Amino acid sequence: MSDAALWAALADPHRRAVVALLRTGPRTVGEIARACELSQPSASKHLKVLREAGLVRVRQEAQRRVHSLDPAPLAALDAWLAPYRKLWGESLDALGRRLDTRPDTTEPTSKD
């Protein structure tokens, strides 16, 4: 799995919806298609991209193929985002401190 494939797979809103659905548990293509309001061929194409990116695993159960989320690539993505999350956290903390030191201007003014 390459980083580019991972980002490309997650760039599409339909594939993000499939990932979100699979977060709740394994599903067949038909279940994914219905839940995400996709045609079955479209759902299959999105699942192929997600499998190639390493985000989805598939297993055979009798006549059905069941897809499930593979969290490993998401953990790698989370690790990559960690420094940016820290940067935003520090920025938001600084904004919060700044706002806490300002006088309250939300008090209603009286009209005579």
Side-chain angles (χ1 to χ4, degrees), residues 9 19 32 38 40 45-46 59 63 65 67 75 87 91 101:
V19 168
I32 292 167
L38 298 168
Q40 194 155 342
K45 288 179 184 179
H46 287 300
R59 72 178 187 278
Q63 301 298 321
R65 294 179 62 172
H67 297 81
L87 174 70
S91 297
T101 62

Side-chain angles (χ1 to χ4, degrees), residues 1-107:
M1 165 214 36
S2 73
D3 288 345
L6 178 62
W7 287 107
L10 293 173
D12 185 276
H14 291 108
R15 290 192 285 270
R16 289 194 306 272
V18 170
V19 168
L21 178 65
L22 291 176
R23 192 182 68 210
T24 66
R27 303 272 193 265
T28 65
V29 176
E31 292 169 332
I32 292 167
R34 282 188 297 280
C36 295
E37 298 180 355
L38 298 168
S39 68
Q40 194 155 342
S42 180
S44 293
K45 288 179 184 179
H46 287 300
L47 284 164
K48 180 182 178 189
V49 173
L50 292 168
R51 277 193 315 274
E52 289 173 351
L55 287 161
V56 170
R57 295 179 269 206
V58 64
R59 72 178 187 278
Q60 195 78 27
E61 283 185 4
Q63 301 298 321
R64 304 176 337 148
R65 294 179 62 172
V66 179
H67 297 81
S68 60
L69 190 61
D70 184 347
L74 295 173
L77 180 62
D78 183 58
W80 186 86
L81 288 169
Y84 300 97
R85 197 177 303 107
K86 183 179 182 230
L87 174 70
W88 273 106
E90 290 169 356
S91 297
L92 291 173
D93 288 345
L95 175 61
R97 287 189 301 274
R98 172 83 174 156
L99 292 173
D100 287 343
T101 62
R102 293 184 64 194
D104 186 8
T105 58
T106 60
E107 292 180 18

